Amino acid sequence: MRKLPRVLVVEDEPSIAELIAVNLRHNGFAPTVVFDGAAAQREVDAVLPDVILLDWMLPGESGASLARAWRKNERTKTIPILMLTARSDESDKVQGLDAGADDYITKPFSTQELLARIRAVLRRRAPEIVNDSVQVGELALDAATYRITFRGTELKVGPTEFKLLHYLMKHAERVHTRGTLLDKVWGDHVFIEERTVDVHVKRLRESLGEASGMIETVRGAGYRLTSMNNTGRPAQGAPISAA
Ligand code: CA
C-alpha cells in the first residue's frame, strides 16, 4: 500500500541508465529515466521525485548546473541529489557537493553501493517515507503495521488518508499549505487540484471520529494537526470548517 520511492535517473548513457533502472525496480524503487537536463526538468515539474540520481557529464546543461538550479528553487531544494560521476578527481567531487548534491558515487559502482547510498540520502532527507511510528497526544500511528489508534481503539482510514495523517503527525503543530501537502503526500502540486487536499482532509476527519478535532483548518493558510487538551476537546482556536 505504501508508495514506492520515486527515483529520477538523469543519465545520458543508455546502458548505464537501463542497468540502474532495472536494479532499482528489483529493489522496491520506482525509477524514471531521462537522458538530458531538459527532460529532467520536465519530469521534476510534473512529479517530484523522492531522490535524483544525476550524472555529472550530460549533453547540454551539466549535472552541476541542474543541481544548482534545483537547490535554488523552493519546490525542489530539499530533494536529495546523488551525483553520478566517472571522475575520481577529488576537486570534481567537491564541486558536485558545492553545487548542492547530497552525495556522489563514482562510476563504476556496484548495485549494492548505489542502493545503500540512495537509502542513506532518503533516511537523512525524507523521514516521512520511512516506515516508523509516531504519536501525538492520544493518537498513535504505526506505519510498519499500518495501524492507527486513538485512546487504544483502532481506527480505519483509507490509504491516502493514512499517508496524509502520517505526514501531519510527523510535522504536528505546524501549518501546512495545500501545496506543501500535495508535494509531500501526493508528490505533485502541479497537476493535482488543491481541492483534492480538502476532500481527503474531510474523509480523514470522518475516519478519526472523536480525534477529528485534532486536524485544524487554518483559514487562508492550510491545515495543522495539534494534540487535544485533556478534556478531549480540540485545542482552543480550532475552527473546523467543511472542506
Ligand atoms: Ca554522461
Side-chain angles (χ1 to χ4, degrees):
M1 202 52 91
R2 193 166 64 92
K3 74 163 188 178
L4 302 178
R6 275 187 284 260
V7 184
L8 178 61
V9 182
V10 190
E11 166 62 78
D12 62 307
E13 185 63 52
S15 58
I16 297 175
E18 182 56 23
L19 185 67
I20 292 173
V22 165
N23 280 299
L24 289 176
R25 230 171 265 127
H26 284 170
N27 285 279
F29 295 91
T32 300
V33 174
V34 294
F35 300 108
D36 60 35
Q41 188 60 54
R42 279 196 298 276
E43 201 51 50
V44 166
D45 287 343
V47 180
L48 282 181
D50 294 302
V51 60
I52 299 173
L53 300 189
L54 181 59
D55 185 24
W56 175 272
M57 297 289 284
L58 290 168
E61 193 171 2
S62 74
S65 163
L66 285 165
R68 258 184 233 109
W70 288 330
R71 280 294 170 260
K72 279 188 201 140
N73 184 289
E74 189 61 34
R75 183 166 181 255
T76 52
K77 67 181 185 186
T78 61
I79 301 175
I81 298 172
L82 190 52
M83 188 80 89
L84 305 174
T85 172
R87 309 173 179 197
S88 54
D89 189 85
E90 199 61 31
S91 71
D92 290 339
K93 293 172 183 172
V94 171
Q95 278 185 53
L97 297 175
D98 281 350
D102 294 88
D103 199 358
Y104 58 84
I105 187 163
T106 307
K107 300 175 195 170
F109 46 79
S110 74
T111 301
Q112 290 314 310
E113 183 182 8
L114 179 66
L115 293 171
R117 297 288 190 91
I118 291 173
R119 291 186 182 116
V121 293
L122 284 174
R123 272 197 304 275
R124 286 203 297 272
R125 302 295 292 273
E128 62 267 21
I129 66 167
V130 173
N131 270 350
D132 58 1
S133 57
V134 55
Q135 175 133 13
V136 177
E138 294 175 280
L139 185 65
L141 178 149
D142 186 343
T145 60
Y146 206 78
R147 280 164 61 94
I148 295 168
T149 56
F150 181 65
R151 293 176 183 158
T153 303
E154 188 166 357
L155 304 174
K156 295 289 177 204
V157 310
T160 302
E161 288 74 35
F162 188 94
K163 285 194 287 186
L164 176 61
L165 182 63
H166 192 193
Y167 183 79
L168 289 172
M169 288 178 74
K170 291 208 67 156
H171 304 88
E173 314 295 345
R174 275 189 262 163
V175 180
H176 305 281
T177 65
R178 290 166 177 82
T180 300
L181 291 171
L182 285 174
D183 269 351
K184 299 294 185 181
V185 179
W186 281 261
D188 179 357
H189 76 183
V190 175
F191 293 122
I192 302 176
E193 287 180 41
E194 295 200 336
R195 181 165 157 66
T196 302
V197 176
D198 302 330
V199 171
H200 287 281
V201 166
K202 183 168 182 283
R203 283 191 202 156
L204 178 57
R205 282 182 177 140
E206 286 164 4
S207 303
L208 289 178
E210 282 188 308
S212 64
M214 292 178 73
I215 299 175
E216 301 178 355
T217 302
V218 180
R219 200 170 290 278
Y223 293 104
R224 168 172 57 202
L225 185 130
T226 186
S227 53
M228 296 169 91
N229 63 29
N230 53 19
T231 64
R233 295 177 191 287
Q236 223 184 353
I240 301 169
S241 76

